[in-house]
Amino acid sequence: YGYLFMRPGKKLLFMGQEWGSTKEWNFSDSLQWDLLKYPVHQGVQRLVRDLNLFYQAHPELYELDCEEGGFEWINGSDTNRSCLTFMRKDKQDKTLVVALNLTPVPRYDYQIGVNQAGVYQEVLNTDLEIYGGSGVKNNLEIQTQVPGWDFKPYKIQVVLPPLSMVCFQLKSSK
């Protein structure tokens, strides 16, 4: 769901997906509302709610949704570690840095190239325990470093939790 909400394009969830339905929708059956008594399904529901709220609060995700300037790959070819990184931007060039770890292995000291120097912070993490994740998260402040990385002038060094999407934002610039 993190990838769905962070990538360009319109968002579509079918009935029951917002709490992790275990069977395909069928018009002759009712939705599996009873699954919401289980913590793992409550976590999925909480995550979808928080992703919707995050999406509404961040114009970077929708303002330039169908324009070339609204999306920029940082690294879409880290096949050895199965990670993806990209940026989403709004009309004022405010940027969200998005990182996905598509493996069950945490990636410590993962380097991500960024365009602006300063202090970044984790603003969304799909691996939090409230969503049913392992709870691996980053420090409150992540200082940019030089030299840069992935053809960007600066880099941040972060932890990518297992099977997760983490979003970073510039907190203060230099």
Side-chain angles (χ1 to χ4, degrees), residues 22-165:
T22 58
K23 65 179 185 176
E24 188 173 330
W25 180 77
N26 182 337
F27 73 92
S28 63
D29 287 342
S30 66
L31 295 175
Q32 294 178 290
W33 292 101
D34 60 311
L35 292 177
L36 287 171
K37 65 185 173 189
Y38 300 107
V40 68
H41 294 278
Q42 292 169 4
V44 172
Q45 184 184 42
R46 194 174 295 115
L47 174 62
V48 171
R49 179 202 62 204
D50 290 352
L51 284 166
N52 274 305
L53 293 171
F54 188 83
Y55 184 85
Q56 288 178 325
H58 289 86
E60 301 94 319
L61 297 174
Y62 58 81
E63 222 174 51
L64 299 174
D65 199 31
C66 299
E67 298 177 35
E68 185 178 339
F71 177 91
E72 181 181 340
W73 280 109
I74 298 172
N75 189 337
S77 61
D78 188 356
T79 55
N80 290 336
R81 293 178 286 184
S82 296
C83 295
L84 298 171
T85 52
F86 57 87
M87 289 182 261
R88 295 297 310 270
K89 300 175 186 178
D90 67 8
K91 291 178 182 176
Q92 290 72 41
D93 208 32
K94 193 173 173 188
T95 303
L96 290 174
V97 175
V98 179
L100 293 108
N101 178 1
L102 305 174
T103 72
V105 178
R107 303 293 180 191
Y108 295 97
D109 300 323
Y110 192 83
Q111 297 181 71
I112 302 172
V114 294
N115 291 327
Q116 295 175 285
V119 176
Y120 284 76
Q121 66 182 8
E122 179 182 283
V123 291
L124 184 62
N125 180 340
T126 62
D127 189 54
L128 296 180
E129 291 171 338
I130 61 169
Y131 305 136
S134 66
V136 174
K137 54 188 172 183
N138 285 276
N139 295 330
L140 294 176
E141 295 187 344
I142 304 161
Q143 182 66 51
T144 54
Q145 302 171 10
V146 289
W149 193 256
D150 288 326
F151 305 103
K152 305 292 181 205
Y154 307 98
K155 69 182 173 189
I156 54 176
Q157 201 160 323
V158 300
V159 176
L160 295 186
L163 300 170
S164 67
M165 183 280 303

